[in-house]
Amino acid sequence: MAEYQLYCFAQSGNAYRVALMLNLIGADWEPIFVDFFLKGEPRTPDYRAGVNEMGEVPVLVHGGKKLSQSGVALTYLAERSGKFRPEGEEERLEALRWIIFDNQKVNGYLRPYRFLRFLAKPPGDPAVLAFLKGRIDNSLAIVDKRLSARPFVLGSRPTIADLSLVGYLYYPPEEFGFDIAAEQKNIAPWLGRIKALPGWRHPYDLMPGHPLPPR
Ligand SMILES: N[C@@H](CCC(=O)N[C@@H](CS)C(=O)NCC(=O)O)C(=O)O
């Protein structure tokens, strides 16, 4: 058995953050497939009782520990490996600030937008999509401005703040209906810098469940 297990599925950018981190630090890890689309597994009583009471993916398993919330798993892995770790109080708080902003307003809006537009059957209400798109444009512009002055979110080197923020950003533009990298000029080169890190893999290559079976 691998040292780490990750409950995940290919379409989950929330899980991708942790899968990517595991791969970038060269961890010995294996995915545990969660059937979100056909079985709604995170919503089952068994999953909530045995895996995560919050009913969410990802969950990182390490020995007797089960960690949910990608920001918590990223912090744990950074502290254990010493890689992508914010150093000192100022950087730690700054990383946490961006991870919370990301969870709430960047990928926190991108995830339901892509889900309602591309994955939900039937697709979401156009008024809801329009609301979310406005929020996404605002949040991505904030990230783009941040990256205009530095190569990575905290400065000259990548940290868990970057790995959190890229959660949904490598999925194909067709899934969003707009091209994030083309619209935000500082986001594309930043994505390229992270993609160049040894161990980088696309979410669809790193986690099981792609392509989706017919529903
Ligand atoms: N803030 C959480 C978000 C986790 C999350 O929303 N995961 C989705 C999958 S991408 C999920 O499990 N949703 C369960 C559901 O909608 O029932 C994190 O970063 O881990």
Side-chain angles (χ1 to χ4, degrees):
M1 191 165 79
E3 182 182 359
Y4 295 95
Q5 286 87 43
L6 182 67
Y7 285 84
C8 61
F9 56 91
Q11 294 76 18
S12 170
N14 287 314
Y16 176 59
R17 300 175 176 122
V18 185
L20 180 61
M21 172 81 174
L22 286 163
N23 235 48
L24 292 176
I25 67 175
D28 173 29
W29 74 281
E30 62 192 0
I32 299 176
F33 177 59
V34 177
D35 192 338
F36 179 88
F37 292 99
L38 292 186
K39 297 191 184 148
E41 217 179 318
R43 296 185 182 181
T44 62
D46 279 357
Y47 188 91
R48 292 186 177 189
V51 183
N52 181 5
E53 66 183 337
M54 293 180 181
E56 288 183 337
V57 167
V59 174
L60 177 70
V61 182
H62 188 220
K65 280 193 163 52
K66 275 204 182 92
L67 303 171
S68 81
Q69 292 300 332
S70 58
V72 171
L74 289 175
T75 302
Y76 180 75
L77 292 170
E79 283 174 5
R80 281 189 61 84
S81 68
K83 296 176 183 166
F84 302 99
R85 182 174 64 189
E87 299 296 343
E89 185 185 50
E90 203 171 311
E91 271 199 12
R92 276 203 301 278
L93 293 175
E94 193 62 359
L96 183 58
R97 190 166 80 99
W98 283 98
I99 288 171
I100 291 171
F101 180 70
D102 170 43
N103 274 239
Q104 188 189 359
K105 292 196 169 167
V106 184
N107 288 290
Y109 288 129
L110 270 172
R111 187 196 84 87
Y113 181 80
R114 168 172 165 270
F115 179 79
L116 291 174
R117 189 187 170 279
F118 172 66
L119 295 164
K121 294 207 181 299
D125 183 325
V128 175
L129 286 165
F131 167 79
L132 290 171
K133 180 66 167 62
R135 306 297 292 169
I136 290 165
D137 289 346
N138 181 60
S139 304
L140 285 175
I142 289 168
V143 176
D144 190 70
K145 180 159 184 296
R146 175 82 184 175
L147 291 167
S148 66
R150 46 186 79 66
F152 297 101
V153 173
L154 295 195
S156 59
R157 64 188 176 84
T159 66
I160 53 173
D162 299 275
L163 302 185
S164 184
L165 275 156
V166 299
Y168 282 84
L169 302 187
Y170 291 109
Y171 287 102
E174 312 82 79
E175 297 183 3
F176 297 99
F178 66 101
D179 188 345
I180 296 166
E183 288 179 18
Q184 306 287 346
K185 65 181 184 338
N186 299 301
I187 285 184
W190 166 69
L191 290 176
R193 286 190 282 276
I194 292 168
K195 195 171 177 177
L197 297 171
W200 183 91
R201 304 253 314 266
H202 190 275
Y204 287 151
D205 296 332
L206 209 48
M207 301 181 292
H210 175 75
L212 276 175
R215 286 173 293 152

